[in-house]
Amino acid sequence: MSESVRLLLADDEHLIRGALAALLALEDDLTVVAEAASGPEALAMALAHRPDVAVLDLQMPGADGVSVATSLRRELPSCQTMIVTSHGRPGHLKRALEAGVRGFVPKTVSAQQLAEIIRTVHAGNRYVDPELAADAISAGDSPLTVREAEVLELAADGAPVAEIAERAALSPGTVRNYLSSAVSKLGAENRHTAVRLARERGWV
Amino acid sequence: MSESVRLLLADDEHLIRGALAALLALEDDLTVVAEAASGPEALAMALAHRPDVAVLDLQMPGADGVSVATSLRRELPSCQTMIVTSHGRPGHLKRALEAGVRGFVPKTVSAQQLAEIIRTVHAGNRYVDPELAADAISAGDSPLTVREAEVLELAADGAPVAEIAERAALSPGTVRNYLSSAVSKLGAENRHTAVRLARERGWV
DNA sequence: GTCGGTGGATGACATCTGTCATACGGGGTG
DNA sequence: CACCCCGTATGACAGATGTCATCCACCGAC
C-alpha cells in the first residue's frame, strides 16, 4: 500500500524498539522501514531508507534524539521528526522544538496514542504532551544572563571556583559574583542546588 | 494451560509495558496476569494476583524495583522477582541481588531473550546480564563504610552540612568527618565530585 | 557630550568546608 | 586482657565560598 507512513524507530533499548515495532506494525497505515540503536546509526538509517517520520528516543548513545533531529532537518527535510522520552524535562522540550521536532511525547502514552500522534505529525501538525508542555510553560524563561548560565554549567560537575574561572577565562571574583547572582535568582541555597534547579527547568 | 508461567509486569512507561505484554503473550508458556505502573501498585497487584514471576522496572514512581522486590520476598515468597532496567549501574545490581532478585537485565535485550530469562528465573535459577556483571565486578567493593555512604547520599543534592546533619541525626562535625574521609577514599576534590564518582561506581 | 546599563574586576567580610588531632564507648580478635 | 577498628563527637584552623559595595571601561541612547 503506497499510502502507508514509513517509519524509522531509534531507541537503544532493544526490548522497547522491538516491542514498539511489533505494536505499530499492527496499524495497517504505518510501516516500520528502519530501526536504529544509536544516534549515528539513526542518521545513517534515515538517509538510507528515507522514512516519512523518525521516532527518536531522547537518550541514545552517540548522539541524543535532538541532535539527530537537527541533522535530519538539514539532510533529509522531507522527514518529520518526533521525540519519545522516558522522563522528560522541559529543557529538552524547548531544545527539541527549536530543532524543528514536530512531536514530543513521554513513554507513558499507549501504543494507540503513539500511533495517532505519528499520524498527526505525518500530516504536518505538531503534538506536544500536555503535561510536558505545562511543565515547560510553568518553568518559563530563564532569568539567568548568558554568562551566569555559562558559569553555572561549568560549575555543574563540582569544580572549584578557580577551575571555573580558568575555563571561562574570567577572574575568580567575577565567577563568584555570577554564581552568587545565579544562586539568588534561582532561590537556591548554594551553587550545587542551583545547578540542579536550572537543570530541572531546562535552563542550562 | 496450567503449565503457563504467570507474570506481573511493572513499568511506569505505558508504551513499554503494553508492548512488552503483547510480545510476551506471544510465547504460549507465558501469561501476563497483572500490570502496574508504580511501585506500590506493583506490590498490591502482586498480592492480589499471586504471579510466579514479577518483572520489575528499576525506576518507578513510589518505590523502585528493588524495594518492591524486597517487600515481595517477604510477603509473597513464592514469587520470583527480576529487574529490568534502562541504563543499569552496578550499584543497583548489588542491591538487587541482596534483595533476593533472581534476574537482572538491561532493556537492550530482545523480547526473545527476555522470555528465555523469565523461564530461567521461573525454574529457580539466576540470570544476570554479563555486561552488567562485569561492570559490577570491575567497580569492585565500596571502600566506604555504611555511614560514609549514607552521609554521601544525603549530600547528593547539594544540601549544606547542617541539613545533612539534621537528616542523619548526627552532629555537623561528624558529618564533616565522614564527608572528608569519603572524599579522600574516593580521591575526589570535594564532596560533590565524590558523589559523582560514587554514583558512577554504584557505591551509593 | 552626558547618562545609564552591562560585563568585568576588586576588596572586605561572614560563613561554610575540608582537614586534622583528639577523645570516648563498644565490638571483635589476638 | 590488650588492641584495634568503627561510630560519634569536639575543637581548632586554613582555605573555599557566598555576599556586598564599589569601581572601571565600554556602548548605545538621548
Side-chain angles (χ1 to χ4, degrees), chain B residues 76-93:
Chain B
L76 190 66
S78 69
C79 177
Q80 305 287 12
T81 55
M82 52 181 298
I83 299 279
V84 178
T85 174
S86 315
H87 299 97
R89 282 173 294 133
H92 293 298
L93 174 52

Side-chain angles (χ1 to χ4, degrees), chain A residues 119-168:
Chain A
R119 291 187 194 102
T120 302
V121 166
H122 180 241
N125 300 310
R126 296 192 184 199
Y127 180 87
V128 172
D129 179 75
E131 193 157 347
L132 292 180
D135 282 355
I137 290 165
S138 78
D141 264 1
S142 173
L144 304 176
T145 68
V146 177
R147 289 304 154 126
E148 285 162 0
E150 268 180 43
V151 169
L152 199 56
E153 195 156 14
L154 288 172
D157 51 0
V161 170
E163 193 180 318
I164 300 172
E166 199 182 352
R167 292 215 275 163

